[in-house]
Amino acid sequence: MIIINQLTMSYGQKLLFFDVNFILADRTHYALVGANGAGKSTLLKLITGEEEPISGTVSISKDATIGWLKQDQFRYEDTIITDIVLQGKPKLWHALVEKEKLFENPHWDEKTAHHLSQLEDLIAEQNGYGALSFAEKLLTGLGISPSYHQKPLSNLSGGYKLRVLLAQALFQEPDTLLLDEPTNHLDIISIHWLEKYLKNEFRGTVIFISHDIAFVNRLADHILDIDYGEIREYSGNYEKFLDEKKIIEEQKLQLKKNIEQKIADMQKLVDRFRAGTRSKQAQSRVKMIEKIELPDIKHSSRTWPHFHFKPHRQSGKMVLHAKNLAKEFLNKKLFANVSFEIARGEKVAIIGENGIGKSTLIKILLGKVYQSEGVYEWGHETHVSYFSQDHHDLIDRHAKVLEWLTEIASDVPEQQVRKVLGQVLFKKDDVDKDILSLSGGEAARLLLARISLESGNVLLLDEPTNHLDMEATESLAKALIDFHGTLIFVSHDRHFISKIANRVLFVSRDKKLIDFKGKFEEFEKRYDV
């Protein structure tokens, strides 16, 4: 159990939350939600003791253990991957290392044997004899092939290194597990595994931050919402939270309106009888008005961008034809015999494990990468707009936001460019920011603004929601639902896919393509993804 009492915290001059009180129960899953910068990660640091609050306390049982996914993979570059996971339990790890040292010593005596017996007891107490198989189970579930388990971490790419650290945090089996965006570097298969593991096998409390609405909906028992300078707890998943929060906000506004109306009615009486025979009654009303306090309804910290994609003209009925596409890279076959046709108006999600070649397929279709085999052809009057998951592919030089977008959309009046920038939350001085200094979310919104101004009839989007918060993701989903052109997109966000796609292209582990014409929920049920 974690008890939060009268907690107040600020960041610089910005008040994050004030006089917060709540209790986190054992073996419960809490999703921490709020706008970027609202204080979600700060709350996790207050729980671990890495930061001190301005006032208030965080009380945790002395014998309780807290595990936290820390992104410090660089300290493990030369360490064997299974050893990194085992180090999630320091007592066990030190006992295993000490035991190895004893076996290396050729001189045994009674003292050495006694020490070995003590180590064996500690290893048994820490479930050490099943530790390696447990570590391997976690690694495999998170998509790390057994062929890498006994290799140094340096053999993996950045996203997979973070999966190893996630496995380490899970291996610790703490009383409370803190996870900050755990799905960020996971593919759709691994997200599904993690969700099931935390739901069905992990026995502690989970407090997690995630922009993945499907993950929040399926895992959370309670929502902790940071907004209006407070942290309010809601029972149930994200969808239920949104409904309840809307009701509470409407009640607050209605209460304020009722009080304002009461004040207005009393003021009318004061104005009417101030100088007449009922002046004493009017004066009494003046004193009453002075004592009435209006509820302090602060503005929400959440902001909702607005996206709009409208094709300049329609494409032909057949948008794209691909036949027997294949790609090899450094003698590794990414995919083979990929064939499909996409018609005008279809909204196609390309999904599969990381490293299977989804982004490469997109780049082949754009002519940025050459295929090893096969052919493809775009249909009549197709005009493609592209969003790259690596923003540096498209944002690669110093320039101000307005200057860059005005130059890209040279046939669009500057007033219209400014309007679109405002709609995606680049206000006032934001348009003068250097594009290379933008955050991931800002860069994503800028690239989506560019696509809006291009007015293409085919949108080719590679992981468009990776750096977007929940509000921006929901706004983008709505815009893509309303889009009257053709959409081809790569994503691991199941909620996003579910809302938009009417067809799924799934590149499986055995390099085969499953072409499913239907909604993602139907695909999930059939193929258990």
Side-chain angles (χ1 to χ4, degrees), residues 1-2 58-66 91 175:
M1 182 181 294
I2 299 174
V58 178
S59 302
I60 306 170
S61 302
K62 286 185 179 180
D63 57 347
T65 55
I66 293 181
K91 286 183 181 179
D175 297 305

Side-chain angles (χ1 to χ4, degrees), residues 165-207:
L165 298 188
L166 177 55
Q168 184 191 66
L170 295 174
F171 179 81
Q172 186 182 346
E173 297 183 292
D175 297 305
T176 299
L177 179 63
L178 308 180
L179 299 174
D180 193 346
E181 297 291 358
T183 66
N184 260 8
H185 299 278
L186 301 182
D187 55 43
I188 203 165
I189 308 296
S190 300
I191 292 171
H192 184 62
W193 178 88
L194 177 63
E195 182 183 281
K196 288 173 66 176
Y197 179 82
L198 292 173
K199 192 84 174 173
N200 302 323
E201 297 188 47
F202 183 74
R203 295 290 173 250
T205 299
V206 182
I207 307 170

Side-chain angles (χ1 to χ4, degrees), residues 257-274:
K257 286 180 182 177
N258 291 343
I259 294 174
E260 286 174 337
Q261 185 60 51
K262 182 178 179 180
I263 291 172
D265 292 342
M266 292 170 72
Q267 188 63 49
K268 283 180 183 177
L269 187 146
V270 169
D271 294 341
R272 183 177 177 185
F273 299 109
R274 189 185 301 272

Side-chain angles (χ1 to χ4, degrees), residues 391-426:
H391 300 155
H392 296 296
D393 285 351
L394 302 173
I395 298 176
D396 58 359
R397 62 185 175 83
H398 287 286
K400 292 180 180 179
V401 167
L402 179 60
E403 171 194 344
W404 181 83
L405 192 55
T406 303
E407 186 179 316
I408 294 289
S410 56
D411 58 339
V412 178
E414 183 178 313
Q415 185 178 359
Q416 177 64 15
V417 175
R418 285 182 179 273
K419 178 182 176 183
V420 170
L421 284 172
Q423 289 172 339
V424 299
L425 306 181
F426 285 92

Side-chain angles (χ1 to χ4, degrees), residues 299-529:
H299 290 296
S300 172
S301 58
R302 286 182 169 82
T303 52
W304 296 76
H306 174 73
F307 302 105
H308 183 65
F309 308 109
K310 184 178 180 181
H312 180 65
R313 61 170 64 88
Q314 274 195 340
S315 67
K317 289 185 178 180
M318 183 53 61
V319 169
L320 177 62
H321 173 78
K323 185 175 182 181
N324 297 329
L325 288 177
K327 181 62 181 177
E328 289 187 9
F329 182 71
L330 298 177
N331 296 321
K332 177 187 176 183
K333 184 172 286 188
L334 294 178
F335 53 81
N337 300 317
V338 170
S339 299
F340 56 84
E341 290 184 343
I342 294 176
R344 183 177 66 209
E346 286 194 290
K347 294 176 179 177
V348 184
I350 301 175
I351 65 174
E353 289 182 301
N354 282 348
I356 210 76
K358 302 182 297 297
S359 294
T360 302
L361 175 59
I362 293 289
K363 289 180 179 179
I364 287 171
L365 298 176
L366 287 164
K368 293 178 177 291
V369 172
Y370 289 107
Q371 65 270 34
S372 303
E373 298 174 23
V375 295
Y376 68 90
E377 182 180 6
W378 288 100
H380 179 65
E381 284 287 353
T382 53
H383 298 277
V384 180
S385 289
Y386 170 54
F387 180 101
S388 172
Q389 68 165 300
D390 184 355
H391 300 155
H392 296 296
D393 285 351
L394 302 173
I395 298 176
D396 58 359
R397 62 185 175 83
H398 287 286
K400 292 180 180 179
V401 167
L402 179 60
E403 171 194 344
W404 181 83
L405 192 55
T406 303
E407 186 179 316
I408 294 289
S410 56
D411 58 339
V412 178
E414 183 178 313
Q415 185 178 359
Q416 177 64 15
V417 175
R418 285 182 179 273
K419 178 182 176 183
V420 170
L421 284 172
Q423 289 172 339
V424 299
L425 306 181
F426 285 92
K427 309 288 188 182
K428 298 178 181 178
D429 296 341
D430 290 340
V431 300
D432 293 323
K433 286 184 177 179
D434 187 322
I435 58 173
L436 294 184
S437 70
L438 297 179
S439 68
E442 288 173 326
R445 285 186 271 113
L446 178 59
L447 291 176
L448 291 168
R450 169 184 175 167
I451 289 173
S452 175
L453 291 170
E454 287 176 341
S455 302
N457 51 32
V458 179
L459 304 186
L460 207 51
L461 311 181
D462 190 2
E463 295 284 6
T465 66
N466 261 5
H467 298 282
L468 297 181
D469 58 23
M470 286 178 166
E471 291 74 32
T473 298
E474 289 290 87
S475 294
L476 178 59
K478 183 180 184 305
L480 293 175
I481 291 168
D482 295 339
F483 175 60
H484 294 302
T486 305
L487 172 65
I488 306 167
F489 68 105
V490 174
S491 181
H492 296 302
D493 187 325
R494 293 162 299 171
H495 179 78
F496 187 73
I497 297 169
S498 297
K499 294 194 77 167
I500 301 164
N502 54 27
R503 181 176 174 187
V504 175
L505 295 179
F506 176 64
V507 186
S508 63
R509 292 178 181 178
D510 58 5
K511 311 296 189 272
K512 291 180 181 177
L513 180 73
I514 298 173
D515 186 351
F516 183 82
K517 295 184 179 179
K519 299 293 286 182
F520 180 69
E521 291 91 336
E522 299 164 9
F523 170 82
E524 264 191 312
K525 289 176 184 175
R526 181 174 297 187
Y527 295 100
D528 191 31
V529 172

Side-chain angles (χ1 to χ4, degrees), residues 225-237:
D225 177 42
I226 304 183
D227 202 3
Y228 300 105
E230 62 184 17
I231 303 179
R232 184 184 289 266
E233 182 178 343
Y234 296 81
S235 62
N237 63 15

Side-chain angles (χ1 to χ4, degrees), residues 39-279:
K40 301 187 295 294
S41 296
T42 299
L43 180 61
L44 296 188
K45 291 176 182 177
L46 291 170
I47 291 172
T48 62
E50 287 201 12
E51 289 196 11
E52 291 290 326
I54 290 174
S55 63
T57 58
V58 178
S59 302
I60 306 170
S61 302
K62 286 185 179 180
D63 57 347
T65 55
I66 293 181
W68 191 10
L69 172 58
K70 295 183 179 179
Q71 301 187 7
D72 55 352
Q73 68 270 27
F74 302 106
R75 61 179 285 202
Y76 295 112
E77 281 293 289
D78 300 322
T79 307
I80 299 300
I81 287 170
T82 49
D83 289 351
I84 296 169
V85 179
L86 293 172
Q87 288 175 38
K89 292 183 177 179
K91 286 183 181 179
L92 171 62
W93 174 248
H94 291 141
L96 292 171
V97 171
E98 188 67 21
K99 181 181 173 181
E100 284 297 316
K101 287 180 180 178
L102 287 183
F103 282 125
E104 291 171 3
N105 184 359
H107 305 293
W108 278 73
D109 53 25
E110 188 176 334
K111 183 179 179 181
T112 305
H114 179 66
H115 185 37
L116 176 62
S117 176
Q118 289 177 320
L119 291 174
E120 295 282 14
D121 289 343
L122 178 57
I123 291 168
E125 181 186 308
Q126 295 281 319
N127 299 318
Y129 295 106
L132 184 59
S133 61
F134 180 37
E136 290 175 340
K137 171 190 172 180
L138 294 173
L139 289 167
T140 302
L142 291 170
I144 298 169
S145 168
S147 62
Y148 285 96
H149 291 183
Q150 295 304 314
K151 294 180 179 179
L153 186 67
S154 56
N155 283 264
L156 298 178
S157 63
Y160 280 92
K161 290 176 182 177
L162 291 172
R163 295 185 189 205
V164 175
L165 298 188
L166 177 55
Q168 184 191 66
L170 295 174
F171 179 81
Q172 186 182 346
E173 297 183 292
D175 297 305
T176 299
L177 179 63
L178 308 180
L179 299 174
D180 193 346
E181 297 291 358
T183 66
N184 260 8
H185 299 278
L186 301 182
D187 55 43
I188 203 165
I189 308 296
S190 300
I191 292 171
H192 184 62
W193 178 88
L194 177 63
E195 182 183 281
K196 288 173 66 176
Y197 179 82
L198 292 173
K199 192 84 174 173
N200 302 323
E201 297 188 47
F202 183 74
R203 295 290 173 250
T205 299
V206 182
I207 307 170
F208 67 100
I209 300 168
S210 180
H211 291 148
D212 185 329
I213 294 175
F215 187 73
V216 173
N217 265 335
R218 299 182 191 198
L219 184 59
D221 302 310
H222 298 265
I223 303 292
L224 297 174
D225 177 42
I226 304 183
D227 202 3
Y228 300 105
E230 62 184 17
I231 303 179
R232 184 184 289 266
E233 182 178 343
Y234 296 81
S235 62
N237 63 15
Y238 187 73
E239 301 296 339
K240 186 181 176 187
F241 147 71
L242 286 180
D243 291 339
E244 288 187 13
K245 179 167 182 172
K246 185 177 180 181
I247 290 170
I248 289 171
E249 288 176 339
E250 288 172 350
Q251 288 173 342
K252 283 183 177 181
L253 288 172
Q254 188 59 50
L255 174 61
K256 186 178 181 182
K257 286 180 182 177
N258 291 343
I259 294 174
E260 286 174 337
Q261 185 60 51
K262 182 178 179 180
I263 291 172
D265 292 342
M266 292 170 72
Q267 188 63 49
K268 283 180 183 177
L269 187 146
V270 169
D271 294 341
R272 183 177 177 185
F273 299 109
R274 189 185 301 272
T277 56
R278 298 173 64 182
S279 61

